PDB file of all heavy atoms in Angstrom:
ATOM      1  N   ALA A 218     127.493  79.726  97.318  1.00  0.00           N
ATOM      2  CA  ALA A 218     127.411  80.599  98.477  1.00  0.00           C
ATOM      3  C   ALA A 218     126.015  80.488  99.036  1.00  0.00           C
ATOM      4  O   ALA A 218     125.043  80.231  98.327  1.00  0.00           O
ATOM      5  CB  ALA A 218     127.713  82.051  98.052  1.00  0.00           C
ATOM      6  N   MET A 219     125.895  80.674 100.343  1.00  0.00           N
ATOM      7  CA  MET A 219     124.594  80.542 101.035  1.00  0.00           C
ATOM      8  C   MET A 219     124.340  81.796 101.874  1.00  0.00           C
ATOM      9  O   MET A 219     125.279  82.441 102.350  1.00  0.00           O
ATOM     10  CB  MET A 219     124.591  79.315 101.939  1.00  0.00           C
ATOM     11  CG  MET A 219     124.805  78.007 101.215  1.00  0.00           C
ATOM     12  SD  MET A 219     123.468  77.583 100.084  1.00  0.00           S
ATOM     13  CE  MET A 219     122.110  77.343 101.258  1.00  0.00           C
ATOM     14  N   GLY A 220     123.073  82.085 102.042  1.00  0.00           N
ATOM     15  CA  GLY A 220     122.722  83.270 102.834  1.00  0.00           C
ATOM     16  C   GLY A 220     121.554  83.002 103.727  1.00  0.00           C
ATOM     17  O   GLY A 220     120.806  82.029 103.560  1.00  0.00           O
ATOM     18  N   TRP A 221     121.418  83.861 104.732  1.00  0.00           N
ATOM     19  CA  TRP A 221     120.256  83.888 105.599  1.00  0.00           C
ATOM     20  C   TRP A 221     119.603  85.280 105.439  1.00  0.00           C
ATOM     21  O   TRP A 221     120.287  86.299 105.457  1.00  0.00           O
ATOM     22  CB  TRP A 221     120.622  83.651 107.046  1.00  0.00           C
ATOM     23  CG  TRP A 221     120.970  82.236 107.383  1.00  0.00           C
ATOM     24  CD1 TRP A 221     122.204  81.697 107.461  1.00  0.00           C
ATOM     25  CD2 TRP A 221     120.035  81.196 107.737  1.00  0.00           C
ATOM     26  NE1 TRP A 221     122.102  80.353 107.811  1.00  0.00           N
ATOM     27  CE2 TRP A 221     120.794  80.037 107.982  1.00  0.00           C
ATOM     28  CE3 TRP A 221     118.636  81.123 107.845  1.00  0.00           C
ATOM     29  CZ2 TRP A 221     120.202  78.813 108.341  1.00  0.00           C
ATOM     30  CZ3 TRP A 221     118.064  79.927 108.186  1.00  0.00           C
ATOM     31  CH2 TRP A 221     118.830  78.780 108.429  1.00  0.00           C
ATOM     32  N   PHE A 222     118.288  85.234 105.349  1.00  0.00           N
ATOM     33  CA  PHE A 222     117.486  86.449 105.277  1.00  0.00           C
ATOM     34  C   PHE A 222     116.377  86.358 106.324  1.00  0.00           C
ATOM     35  O   PHE A 222     116.105  85.257 106.850  1.00  0.00           O
ATOM     36  CB  PHE A 222     116.870  86.626 103.901  1.00  0.00           C
ATOM     37  CG  PHE A 222     117.879  86.949 102.828  1.00  0.00           C
ATOM     38  CD1 PHE A 222     118.690  85.963 102.297  1.00  0.00           C
ATOM     39  CD2 PHE A 222     118.037  88.252 102.379  1.00  0.00           C
ATOM     40  CE1 PHE A 222     119.624  86.275 101.325  1.00  0.00           C
ATOM     41  CE2 PHE A 222     118.962  88.564 101.402  1.00  0.00           C
ATOM     42  CZ  PHE A 222     119.763  87.564 100.897  1.00  0.00           C
ATOM     43  N   ARG A 223     115.730  87.464 106.604  1.00  0.00           N
ATOM     44  CA  ARG A 223     114.591  87.440 107.520  1.00  0.00           C
ATOM     45  C   ARG A 223     113.514  88.427 107.075  1.00  0.00           C
ATOM     46  O   ARG A 223     113.834  89.399 106.389  1.00  0.00           O
ATOM     47  CB  ARG A 223     115.038  87.718 108.959  1.00  0.00           C
ATOM     48  CG  ARG A 223     115.565  89.141 109.186  1.00  0.00           C
ATOM     49  CD  ARG A 223     116.122  89.242 110.596  1.00  0.00           C
ATOM     50  NE  ARG A 223     116.598  90.608 110.888  1.00  0.00           N
ATOM     51  CZ  ARG A 223     117.258  90.930 112.001  1.00  0.00           C
ATOM     52  NH1 ARG A 223     117.530  90.016 112.913  1.00  0.00           N
ATOM     53  NH2 ARG A 223     117.658  92.190 112.167  1.00  0.00           N
ATOM     54  N   GLN A 224     112.305  88.121 107.477  1.00  0.00           N
ATOM     55  CA  GLN A 224     111.194  88.998 107.114  1.00  0.00           C
ATOM     56  C   GLN A 224     110.232  89.096 108.299  1.00  0.00           C
ATOM     57  O   GLN A 224     109.661  88.083 108.712  1.00  0.00           O
ATOM     58  CB  GLN A 224     110.472  88.494 105.865  1.00  0.00           C
ATOM     59  CG  GLN A 224     109.435  89.465 105.342  1.00  0.00           C
ATOM     60  CD  GLN A 224     109.018  89.078 103.928  1.00  0.00           C
ATOM     61  OE1 GLN A 224     109.216  87.964 103.455  1.00  0.00           O
ATOM     62  NE2 GLN A 224     108.405  90.026 103.227  1.00  0.00           N
ATOM     63  N   ALA A 225     110.069  90.302 108.797  1.00  0.00           N
ATOM     64  CA  ALA A 225     109.131  90.566 109.864  1.00  0.00           C
ATOM     65  C   ALA A 225     107.797  90.979 109.272  1.00  0.00           C
ATOM     66  O   ALA A 225     107.734  91.437 108.131  1.00  0.00           O
ATOM     67  CB  ALA A 225     109.663  91.676 110.782  1.00  0.00           C
ATOM     68  N   PRO A 226     106.703  90.831 110.009  1.00  0.00           N
ATOM     69  CA  PRO A 226     105.403  91.193 109.480  1.00  0.00           C
ATOM     70  C   PRO A 226     105.358  92.665 109.031  1.00  0.00           C
ATOM     71  O   PRO A 226     105.798  93.550 109.716  1.00  0.00           O
ATOM     72  CB  PRO A 226     104.465  91.005 110.673  1.00  0.00           C
ATOM     73  CG  PRO A 226     105.142  89.961 111.507  1.00  0.00           C
ATOM     74  CD  PRO A 226     106.619  90.222 111.366  1.00  0.00           C
ATOM     75  N   GLY A 227     104.864  92.854 107.812  1.00  0.00           N
ATOM     76  CA  GLY A 227     104.743  94.194 107.266  1.00  0.00           C
ATOM     77  C   GLY A 227     106.022  94.809 106.772  1.00  0.00           C
ATOM     78  O   GLY A 227     106.044  95.979 106.350  1.00  0.00           O
ATOM     79  N   LYS A 228     107.105  94.041 106.772  1.00  0.00           N
ATOM     80  CA  LYS A 228     108.397  94.557 106.317  1.00  0.00           C
ATOM     81  C   LYS A 228     108.930  93.736 105.155  1.00  0.00           C
ATOM     82  O   LYS A 228     108.499  92.591 104.940  1.00  0.00           O
ATOM     83  CB  LYS A 228     109.397  94.572 107.469  1.00  0.00           C
ATOM     84  CG  LYS A 228     109.033  95.512 108.613  1.00  0.00           C
ATOM     85  CD  LYS A 228     110.164  95.585 109.631  1.00  0.00           C
ATOM     86  CE  LYS A 228     109.840  96.566 110.728  1.00  0.00           C
ATOM     87  NZ  LYS A 228     110.942  96.676 111.711  1.00  0.00           N
ATOM     88  N   GLU A 229     109.862  94.326 104.447  1.00  0.00           N
ATOM     89  CA  GLU A 229     110.493  93.617 103.334  1.00  0.00           C
ATOM     90  C   GLU A 229     111.528  92.607 103.868  1.00  0.00           C
ATOM     91  O   GLU A 229     112.041  92.740 104.967  1.00  0.00           O
ATOM     92  CB  GLU A 229     111.173  94.606 102.403  1.00  0.00           C
ATOM     93  CG  GLU A 229     110.201  95.524 101.659  1.00  0.00           C
ATOM     94  CD  GLU A 229     110.868  96.346 100.583  1.00  0.00           C
ATOM     95  OE1 GLU A 229     112.111  96.305 100.510  1.00  0.00           O
ATOM     96  OE2 GLU A 229     110.122  97.010  99.842  1.00  0.00           O
ATOM     97  N   ARG A 230     111.783  91.615 103.041  1.00  0.00           N
ATOM     98  CA  ARG A 230     112.809  90.649 103.392  1.00  0.00           C
ATOM     99  C   ARG A 230     114.163  91.347 103.426  1.00  0.00           C
ATOM    100  O   ARG A 230     114.528  92.091 102.500  1.00  0.00           O
ATOM    101  CB  ARG A 230     112.808  89.510 102.353  1.00  0.00           C
ATOM    102  CG  ARG A 230     113.635  88.307 102.772  1.00  0.00           C
ATOM    103  CD  ARG A 230     113.337  87.126 101.865  1.00  0.00           C
ATOM    104  NE  ARG A 230     111.941  86.711 101.969  1.00  0.00           N
ATOM    105  CZ  ARG A 230     111.449  85.572 101.438  1.00  0.00           C
ATOM    106  NH1 ARG A 230     112.266  84.771 100.765  1.00  0.00           N
ATOM    107  NH2 ARG A 230     110.197  85.268 101.560  1.00  0.00           N
ATOM    108  N   GLU A 231     114.930  91.076 104.499  1.00  0.00           N
ATOM    109  CA  GLU A 231     116.231  91.748 104.627  1.00  0.00           C
ATOM    110  C   GLU A 231     117.356  90.720 104.819  1.00  0.00           C
ATOM    111  O   GLU A 231     117.151  89.652 105.371  1.00  0.00           O
ATOM    112  CB  GLU A 231     116.205  92.731 105.794  1.00  0.00           C
ATOM    113  CG  GLU A 231     116.062  92.108 107.185  1.00  0.00           C
ATOM    114  CD  GLU A 231     116.240  93.083 108.311  1.00  0.00           C
ATOM    115  OE1 GLU A 231     116.515  94.286 108.053  1.00  0.00           O
ATOM    116  OE2 GLU A 231     116.117  92.688 109.464  1.00  0.00           O
ATOM    117  N   PHE A 232     118.493  91.139 104.374  1.00  0.00           N
ATOM    118  CA  PHE A 232     119.697  90.333 104.457  1.00  0.00           C
ATOM    119  C   PHE A 232     120.173  90.224 105.899  1.00  0.00           C
ATOM    120  O   PHE A 232     120.128  91.190 106.660  1.00  0.00           O
ATOM    121  CB  PHE A 232     120.790  90.964 103.612  1.00  0.00           C
ATOM    122  CG  PHE A 232     122.136  90.342 103.762  1.00  0.00           C
ATOM    123  CD1 PHE A 232     122.423  89.109 103.220  1.00  0.00           C
ATOM    124  CD2 PHE A 232     123.135  91.002 104.475  1.00  0.00           C
ATOM    125  CE1 PHE A 232     123.680  88.534 103.371  1.00  0.00           C
ATOM    126  CE2 PHE A 232     124.403  90.461 104.619  1.00  0.00           C
ATOM    127  CZ  PHE A 232     124.666  89.222 104.066  1.00  0.00           C
ATOM    128  N   VAL A 233     120.632  89.025 106.277  1.00  0.00           N
ATOM    129  CA  VAL A 233     121.189  88.793 107.611  1.00  0.00           C
ATOM    130  C   VAL A 233     122.668  88.441 107.530  1.00  0.00           C
ATOM    131  O   VAL A 233     123.505  89.097 108.141  1.00  0.00           O
ATOM    132  CB  VAL A 233     120.434  87.690 108.354  1.00  0.00           C
ATOM    133  CG1 VAL A 233     121.083  87.393 109.714  1.00  0.00           C
ATOM    134  CG2 VAL A 233     118.964  88.057 108.550  1.00  0.00           C
ATOM    135  N   ALA A 234     122.981  87.405 106.760  1.00  0.00           N
ATOM    136  CA  ALA A 234     124.365  86.930 106.688  1.00  0.00           C
ATOM    137  C   ALA A 234     124.553  86.079 105.444  1.00  0.00           C
ATOM    138  O   ALA A 234     123.598  85.507 104.940  1.00  0.00           O
ATOM    139  CB  ALA A 234     124.751  86.150 107.935  1.00  0.00           C
ATOM    140  N   ALA A 235     125.813  85.956 104.994  1.00  0.00           N
ATOM    141  CA  ALA A 235     126.130  85.109 103.875  1.00  0.00           C
ATOM    142  C   ALA A 235     127.491  84.472 104.079  1.00  0.00           C
ATOM    143  O   ALA A 235     128.337  85.032 104.814  1.00  0.00           O
ATOM    144  CB  ALA A 235     126.122  85.894 102.555  1.00  0.00           C
ATOM    145  N   ILE A 236     127.695  83.332 103.433  1.00  0.00           N
ATOM    146  CA  ILE A 236     128.966  82.626 103.557  1.00  0.00           C
ATOM    147  C   ILE A 236     129.357  82.081 102.198  1.00  0.00           C
ATOM    148  O   ILE A 236     128.510  81.630 101.424  1.00  0.00           O
ATOM    149  CB  ILE A 236     128.877  81.513 104.600  1.00  0.00           C
ATOM    150  CG1 ILE A 236     130.237  80.905 104.894  1.00  0.00           C
ATOM    151  CG2 ILE A 236     127.855  80.439 104.202  1.00  0.00           C
ATOM    152  CD1 ILE A 236     130.258  80.009 106.155  1.00  0.00           C
ATOM    153  N   SER A 237     130.628  82.140 101.865  1.00  0.00           N
ATOM    154  CA  SER A 237     131.091  81.678 100.575  1.00  0.00           C
ATOM    155  C   SER A 237     131.022  80.170 100.444  1.00  0.00           C
ATOM    156  O   SER A 237     130.852  79.444 101.445  1.00  0.00           O
ATOM    157  CB  SER A 237     132.541  82.155 100.351  1.00  0.00           C
ATOM    158  OG  SER A 237     133.394  81.557 101.309  1.00  0.00           O
ATOM    159  N   TRP A 238     131.213  79.670  99.233  1.00  0.00           N
ATOM    160  CA  TRP A 238     131.102  78.227  98.995  1.00  0.00           C
ATOM    161  C   TRP A 238     132.093  77.425  99.816  1.00  0.00           C
ATOM    162  O   TRP A 238     131.802  76.318 100.259  1.00  0.00           O
ATOM    163  CB  TRP A 238     131.287  77.926  97.496  1.00  0.00           C
ATOM    164  CG  TRP A 238     132.638  78.319  96.971  1.00  0.00           C
ATOM    165  CD1 TRP A 238     133.037  79.548  96.523  1.00  0.00           C
ATOM    166  CD2 TRP A 238     133.774  77.448  96.869  1.00  0.00           C
ATOM    167  NE1 TRP A 238     134.330  79.510  96.132  1.00  0.00           N
ATOM    168  CE2 TRP A 238     134.824  78.237  96.328  1.00  0.00           C
ATOM    169  CE3 TRP A 238     134.025  76.124  97.173  1.00  0.00           C
ATOM    170  CZ2 TRP A 238     136.109  77.739  96.091  1.00  0.00           C
ATOM    171  CZ3 TRP A 238     135.275  75.603  96.951  1.00  0.00           C
ATOM    172  CH2 TRP A 238     136.306  76.409  96.410  1.00  0.00           C
ATOM    173  N   SER A 239     133.257  78.014 100.077  1.00  0.00           N
ATOM    174  CA  SER A 239     134.287  77.290 100.822  1.00  0.00           C
ATOM    175  C   SER A 239     134.154  77.521 102.353  1.00  0.00           C
ATOM    176  O   SER A 239     134.797  76.843 103.146  1.00  0.00           O
ATOM    177  CB  SER A 239     135.649  77.746 100.375  1.00  0.00           C
ATOM    178  OG  SER A 239     135.856  79.138 100.741  1.00  0.00           O
ATOM    179  N   GLY A 240     133.360  78.528 102.723  1.00  0.00           N
ATOM    180  CA  GLY A 240     133.296  78.917 104.134  1.00  0.00           C
ATOM    181  C   GLY A 240     134.376  79.897 104.531  1.00  0.00           C
ATOM    182  O   GLY A 240     134.405  80.341 105.676  1.00  0.00           O
ATOM    183  N   GLY A 241     135.207  80.289 103.616  1.00  0.00           N
ATOM    184  CA  GLY A 241     136.329  81.158 103.955  1.00  0.00           C
ATOM    185  C   GLY A 241     135.970  82.618 104.068  1.00  0.00           C
ATOM    186  O   GLY A 241     136.737  83.416 104.655  1.00  0.00           O
ATOM    187  N   SER A 242     134.822  83.026 103.523  1.00  0.00           N
ATOM    188  CA  SER A 242     134.412  84.425 103.603  1.00  0.00           C
ATOM    189  C   SER A 242     132.994  84.524 104.131  1.00  0.00           C
ATOM    190  O   SER A 242     132.159  83.674 103.815  1.00  0.00           O
ATOM    191  CB  SER A 242     134.467  85.060 102.202  1.00  0.00           C
ATOM    192  OG  SER A 242     135.773  85.076 101.695  1.00  0.00           O
ATOM    193  N   THR A 243     132.758  85.554 104.926  1.00  0.00           N
ATOM    194  CA  THR A 243     131.408  85.787 105.449  1.00  0.00           C
ATOM    195  C   THR A 243     131.058  87.259 105.325  1.00  0.00           C
ATOM    196  O   THR A 243     131.949  88.122 105.186  1.00  0.00           O
ATOM    197  CB  THR A 243     131.294  85.363 106.914  1.00  0.00           C
ATOM    198  OG1 THR A 243     132.310  86.049 107.699  1.00  0.00           O
ATOM    199  CG2 THR A 243     131.465  83.870 107.086  1.00  0.00           C
ATOM    200  N   LEU A 244     129.771  87.525 105.378  1.00  0.00           N
ATOM    201  CA  LEU A 244     129.262  88.892 105.285  1.00  0.00           C
ATOM    202  C   LEU A 244     128.081  88.992 106.211  1.00  0.00           C
ATOM    203  O   LEU A 244     127.244  88.072 106.255  1.00  0.00           O
ATOM    204  CB  LEU A 244     128.843  89.188 103.831  1.00  0.00           C
ATOM    205  CG  LEU A 244     128.279  90.584 103.545  1.00  0.00           C
ATOM    206  CD1 LEU A 244     129.380  91.635 103.660  1.00  0.00           C
ATOM    207  CD2 LEU A 244     127.688  90.624 102.121  1.00  0.00           C
ATOM    208  N   TYR A 245     128.004  90.111 106.950  1.00  0.00           N
ATOM    209  CA  TYR A 245     126.880  90.285 107.902  1.00  0.00           C
ATOM    210  C   TYR A 245     126.216  91.627 107.737  1.00  0.00           C
ATOM    211  O   TYR A 245     126.877  92.613 107.413  1.00  0.00           O
ATOM    212  CB  TYR A 245     127.421  90.161 109.351  1.00  0.00           C
ATOM    213  CG  TYR A 245     127.941  88.786 109.718  1.00  0.00           C
ATOM    214  CD1 TYR A 245     129.277  88.488 109.610  1.00  0.00           C
ATOM    215  CD2 TYR A 245     127.074  87.808 110.194  1.00  0.00           C
ATOM    216  CE1 TYR A 245     129.760  87.233 109.930  1.00  0.00           C
ATOM    217  CE2 TYR A 245     127.547  86.545 110.540  1.00  0.00           C
ATOM    218  CZ  TYR A 245     128.893  86.285 110.395  1.00  0.00           C
ATOM    219  OH  TYR A 245     129.354  85.029 110.727  1.00  0.00           O
ATOM    220  N   ALA A 246     124.940  91.654 108.054  1.00  0.00           N
ATOM    221  CA  ALA A 246     124.249  92.931 108.172  1.00  0.00           C
ATOM    222  C   ALA A 246     124.751  93.639 109.429  1.00  0.00           C
ATOM    223  O   ALA A 246     125.084  92.976 110.438  1.00  0.00           O
ATOM    224  CB  ALA A 246     122.742  92.714 108.254  1.00  0.00           C
TER     225      ALA A 246
END
């Protein structure tokens, strides 16, 4: 599974989106 995260200055790293190994499932902030 793969994910995308982001971090703005002065903030903690936050979750953006994820996708399963097959691409069949996704998750979003």
Side-chain angles (χ1 to χ4, degrees):
M219 300 295 294
W221 285 97
F222 290 77
R223 66 187 182 187
Q224 189 166 17
K228 295 187 177 181
E229 293 189 351
R230 191 167 298 190
E231 66 172 357
F232 171 74
V233 176
I236 188 166
S237 63
W238 62 274
S239 66
S242 297
T243 56
L244 180 68
Y245 294 94

